[in-house]
Amino acid sequence: MAEETLPEQIARQLRRDILRGKLPPGTTIKERDNAAELGVSRTPMREAIRILAQEGLVILRPARSPIVAQPSIKEISDQVTVLIALEKLSLELACVHATEAEIDDLAATMDYMDKNFESADPLDMFEVDMGFHHALAVMSHNDVIAELHQTLMERLWRARYMAARRRRNRERVIVQHGAIVNALRARDRASALVAIEAHLGHLDRDIRNVLEQEAEAALVTK
């Protein structure tokens, strides 16, 4: 894996600040202040903000400081619907096209999650979890699917993290991921679809619930 550039490192830190709630939706991101806080110049900070804008986490505004994005529940729900359809298609194709080495790597990711679930930072574990799901898209050996999946995953990053944090559960993470890996090893498309539906079937509802609760809390504090 290529070493991260400075803008990518800064983008990763800002992304984590957004996920942890240090930079909530609607927050202004001031280049100068954030650059000073991280001890970097404004040029890589500006590029990092562009990276986050491409991911949909930040909104750029002409002649004004960018802000942390706050997409509507409808926008997010529409994206979730497409993401789930892509993951199901990815898994069906992976049952046919994935190599044994790719399946072994996926199993190794699951083993890591199993061994470190209790001790790891929840955000670190979430990032590993998202890596697991994107690996499925890559294992489809369809470049269009992998690219679309990456785009949607980035745009849903915050919403999925919020939902995952509320539902953090060893059974859901380990057992359900294990069922996906087992179906892949067996090249069993029907079982794979059952496994991914069990894992993601509640995702839209969970995300809606957490976003509605966040919106209600915001109204109370106003």
Side-chain angles (χ1 to χ4, degrees), residues 153-168:
M153 190 170 64
E154 290 169 349
R155 292 186 177 278
L156 289 166
W157 204 257
R158 179 177 180 273
R160 289 193 74 174
Y161 176 64
M162 291 173 64
R165 188 174 56 185
R166 295 284 183 89
R167 282 180 55 91
R168 194 164 191 267

Side-chain angles (χ1 to χ4, degrees), residues 115-161:
K115 292 175 183 176
N116 295 278
F117 184 82
E118 301 298 340
S119 59
D121 183 308
L123 180 50
D124 291 338
M125 188 58 66
F126 171 76
E127 290 176 341
V128 174
D129 190 342
M130 293 303 96
F132 179 100
H133 283 271
H134 187 59
L136 293 175
V138 173
M139 289 162 67
S140 72
H141 288 256
N142 183 304
D143 292 342
V144 175
I145 288 176
E147 182 177 349
L148 287 174
H149 184 272
Q150 180 69 32
T151 298
L152 284 171
M153 190 170 64
E154 290 169 349
R155 292 186 177 278
L156 289 166
W157 204 257
R158 179 177 180 273
R160 289 193 74 174
Y161 176 64

Side-chain angles (χ1 to χ4, degrees), residues 98-112 132 139 181 184-185 187:
T99 66
E100 290 301 318
E102 287 175 327
I103 296 174
D104 287 343
D105 287 344
L106 196 69
T109 298
M110 190 194 73
D111 288 342
Y112 174 87
F132 179 100
M139 289 162 67
V181 173
L184 273 172
R185 284 212 184 278
R187 309 287 177 170

